[in-house]
Each structure stands twice: as C-alpha cells, then as structure tokens.
Amino acid sequence: MKKSIERIANNDYFFSMITKITGVMLALLLSIVVARYFGTDLKGIQSVIDNYVSIYSVFLGLGIYQAYPFYRKKEKNLYPHFINNITTQFLIYELLALFISFLIYKSNYNSYLAFAIIFMPVAVYIKQLNYIVLIECPRRRNIADIVVAVSEIILLLILWLVIDASVNIVMIYYAVAQLVNLFISFYNLKINPLKIKLEVNRLKEFARFGFIPMLVLLCMTINYKIDILMLEKCNSVPLSDIGIYGLGVSLAEKVWLIPDAMKDILLSKLVKGKGEDEVAKILRINILICLLSIVALIIAGKPILILLYGKSFEKSYYVMILMMLGVIGMIFYKMIYSYNISQGKRKINLMFLGLAAIVNVIGNYFMIPIWGIWGAAITSVISYNICGAAFAIYFHKVSKIPYRLIMFVQKSDLMLLKNMLHGS
C-alpha cells in the first residue's frame, strides 16, 4: 500500500490529477454554497461580473506573463525587474479603471460592468503573479489554489449566517475573494508590496513576446465566456436563466479538469523529448476517463444536482448534459494544443481557436434570441467540436498516427494505469 502511494505521488500525471481532483471537490463545494446562498438571480449576476473580468483581463494582460519563463532562462536577475514592471502596469491600469468605472456608474449605463472594470487590473496582476509562482515553486501554487478555495467557502458561510443575500453582498464577496487571492500571491512570492520599485522600461518588450499567446488565450476565453455576456445583452433572457446556465456550464467544465491537469504535464514531457506517441496515449486515456464520467453524470447527475443545489437549479442538469456533447472535442484541443506549443506551432493554435471563437460569437448572435440559454449551449457544443476536429485532423496528418490509435484506448494503456496504481 505504501509503495502504491509513493508510486502515485512520484508520478507527475497522477500527482497533478490528485491536486486537480482536490481542487474540483472544493470548487464543487464552493458552487453549492454560492447556489444555495445567492439563488438563481444573484448567481446570474455573479456569472456576468466574473465573465466581464475574465474576458477583458485577458486582453489587458497583453500576454506579458508568458514572457517570464523565456527571459528567466536568459537572465538570472530577471525576477525583481519583472515584478517591478508588472506592478507598475497594474497601478496604471487600476487608476484608469477607477476613472472609467466612475464615468460608467454616473451615466447609469451598466453597474455590473462598472464594478467589473475595477477588478480587471486586479485579475491581470493576480494571473501574472501566480504564473511566476508556478514557474518558481509549482507545488506552492497547488496549495495556494486550495487555500483560496477554502477561504472563499469560509467567507460565504460567514456572510450566509449574518446577512441576507443581495446584489451588494455578491459584490462584497467577489471583492474580498480577489483581494485574498492577491494577498496569497504576494505571500507565496515573499513580496513586500511597499518595497516594489516602479519600472516600465521592459513592458513593451514583454508584451511583444506575449502578443500571439495573448490572442490564443483571448480566443480560448471567448469560447468559454462570451455566451454569458451575450445572454446578459439579450433582453429576453432573465438573470435567473443566466444563473442556471452558468451553473450547468461550470459543472460540465469540471469533466475536463482531468485533461487540463494532464495537459500541463504533457507539455513538460514533450519539451523533455517525448513525441507524438505520448500525445496519442494521453488522448486515449483521457477520452476513456471522460466517457466514463459522462455516463456516470447522465445516470446519477440529476438527483445529486437537485440534492446539492436545490430544485430551482434543476434545469442546470440539462444544460450540463448538453454541454457534455462538446467534451470530447475539448480533449483533442487541450492535448494537441500542448503538442503544437512544444513544436513552436503557436500560429496553428491561434488559427483553430480563432475559428472556434468566430463560430461561437456568430452562433450566439443568431441562436440566443431564438432559444435563449439552449441556443448558447448548442452553439458552444458546435464550436467545441469544430475546434476539436480541426486539432485532431491536423495531429493525424503531421504524426501519421491512425485515428484508431488516437481515439480508442489500447490494452497497453489499461496495463499502464494498472501498474501505476499497484506500484509495479
């Protein structure tokens, strides 16, 4: 037993999966508390604010954090200068954000957008700091994610006990959660904010390096997030439906967190010399895991969802199941994306993800006014599968690996999993 545990802990894929699964369980607990405390309408408001911040912060970040590992290899003393530059960027952004937010709020244009704008620079800064944590001390980053999730759960429980939920409480919760995340990022990097110097001399250089990765990430984020914002803009879709849809999508996304965990390790393996066969193997294993997860959710998902989230979120089950039709496409994208990165094919990733983003935006534009949240879900499934198909066809052509060895699990894969679990 002890040897099996050590074997799993020492295997990069399994260790990453275990930390990811822990994060998934905490994220599920957090989503349950949010749904029970806020209800469908306030959950919809939270989803709108979160999606505003997510999409715009990608663009504002300019991909600067992507430059850190590249320049870190070349410059031993990069760390303090990089921190100085991104902190200066954050302060400039935050001053502008406060001014723009004030103008939007005074004009009564969109109070949710006004609030979200204040936290867009904070989200950019947190992502940059956490990426440095990931490079410098990755295990500390995994622990930090767990600490952040636990702190959010505790905060919500305290609020639930002392005050009724309202729009103001949603905003207070969001603000405190972001500030806690920022504090933990400082703590992990042992940074004293008061000792950071202001520098801007290298922002342009870092942004030039990160421009294409930023566009790639923007396309990815649009595929995940744009539907919520387009639902909000459609007057025929109530906030309660957005809350139901947001929960269904977030639950469906949990299925591909295991591929996400393996994707990060796969990239490391590819950089260190592994080839196309490794990509095909991880694809096969992930497809099997996800298919089993989907079957389990179809059978047991509805009563469990109602038990955990309440009858008011029942329709989230059907959103989740519909979104499952796009999960396999996402597996192909996530794994082959890492392969393309290792081969320096960043523009291929941008082309395929850009295609999916265009399909998503156009599809939502026509489908949401007709079918509301179901139109958004159908559009997402179509764009996910178009994206996955493009990546799969490309990988098949460049690797010459038959589709059956890309898609269908082999006996050797099952033996590998068995040996890892038994420590042999």
Side-chain angles (χ1 to χ4, degrees), residues 184-251:
I184 291 173
S185 300
F186 281 139
Y187 178 81
N188 282 332
L189 292 171
K190 309 300 181 185
I191 295 174
N192 182 347
L194 299 178
K195 293 185 178 180
I196 296 174
K197 298 178 181 178
L198 300 183
E199 292 182 27
V200 295
N201 56 317
R202 303 195 63 182
L203 282 176
K204 185 177 180 181
E205 178 187 4
F206 295 147
R208 190 183 301 116
F209 179 91
F211 183 71
I212 290 180
M214 180 270 290
L215 291 179
V216 171
L217 183 58
L218 183 61
C219 291
M220 291 164 55
T221 308
I222 286 172
N223 277 322
Y224 291 150
K225 305 289 187 179
I226 197 67
D227 44 4
I228 296 284
L229 299 188
M230 295 183 77
L231 283 167
E232 190 228 355
K233 297 298 181 185
C234 185
N235 294 328
S236 62
V237 179
L239 279 172
S240 59
D241 276 5
I242 296 176
I244 288 166
Y245 179 79
L247 177 62
V249 171
S250 69
L251 292 175

Side-chain angles (χ1 to χ4, degrees), residues 106-326:
K106 291 296 287 184
S107 65
N108 294 317
Y109 172 67
N110 187 327
S111 59
Y112 306 140
L113 177 59
F115 177 80
I117 286 173
I118 296 173
F119 289 94
M120 289 173 191
V122 179
V124 172
Y125 194 37
I126 290 172
K127 188 174 188 67
Q128 292 170 335
L129 292 172
N130 282 342
Y131 196 73
I132 298 172
V133 176
L134 182 64
I135 300 300
E136 299 294 345
C137 36
R139 294 210 173 194
R140 194 181 295 170
R141 169 67 189 277
N142 291 331
I143 294 171
D145 288 341
I146 293 171
V147 171
V148 168
V150 171
S151 66
E152 288 190 33
I153 292 168
I154 293 172
L155 170 64
L156 273 173
L157 289 174
I158 292 172
L159 289 171
W160 198 352
L161 289 171
V162 301
I163 193 168
D164 291 336
S166 66
V167 174
N168 289 335
I169 293 301
V170 171
M171 293 182 176
I172 290 171
Y173 157 68
Y174 189 88
V176 173
Q178 293 298 304
L179 294 176
V180 168
N181 201 335
L182 181 59
F183 172 80
I184 291 173
S185 300
F186 281 139
Y187 178 81
N188 282 332
L189 292 171
K190 309 300 181 185
I191 295 174
N192 182 347
L194 299 178
K195 293 185 178 180
I196 296 174
K197 298 178 181 178
L198 300 183
E199 292 182 27
V200 295
N201 56 317
R202 303 195 63 182
L203 282 176
K204 185 177 180 181
E205 178 187 4
F206 295 147
R208 190 183 301 116
F209 179 91
F211 183 71
I212 290 180
M214 180 270 290
L215 291 179
V216 171
L217 183 58
L218 183 61
C219 291
M220 291 164 55
T221 308
I222 286 172
N223 277 322
Y224 291 150
K225 305 289 187 179
I226 197 67
D227 44 4
I228 296 284
L229 299 188
M230 295 183 77
L231 283 167
E232 190 228 355
K233 297 298 181 185
C234 185
N235 294 328
S236 62
V237 179
L239 279 172
S240 59
D241 276 5
I242 296 176
I244 288 166
Y245 179 79
L247 177 62
V249 171
S250 69
L251 292 175
E253 288 176 353
K254 300 295 184 288
V255 175
W256 62 65
L257 283 176
I258 291 177
D260 257 349
M262 288 196 174
K263 168 179 69 74
D264 295 337
I265 305 302
L266 176 61
L267 179 56
S268 174
K269 299 280 187 184
L270 292 170
V271 170
K272 294 173 182 176
K274 293 288 187 178
E276 288 86 355
D277 288 340
E278 182 79 2
V279 180
K281 178 179 72 177
I282 300 303
L283 273 169
R284 297 191 301 263
I285 291 173
N286 274 282
I287 289 171
L288 175 64
I289 291 171
C290 285
L291 285 175
L292 293 174
S293 301
I294 290 168
V295 171
L297 286 171
I298 290 173
I299 295 172
K302 186 175 179 180
I304 293 174
L305 187 146
I306 292 173
L307 174 66
L308 296 177
Y309 294 93
K311 188 73 174 176
S312 59
F313 283 95
E314 181 179 359
K315 284 199 297 184
S316 295
Y317 167 78
Y318 300 104
V319 174
M320 177 183 70
I321 296 303
L322 184 54
M323 294 295 292
M324 292 297 178
L325 298 177

Side-chain angles (χ1 to χ4, degrees), residues 407-418:
M407 299 179 66
F408 302 111
V409 70
Q410 305 295 302
K411 186 176 180 180
S412 59
D413 303 329
L414 299 177
M415 291 301 298
L416 176 65
L417 287 171
K418 182 180 177 181

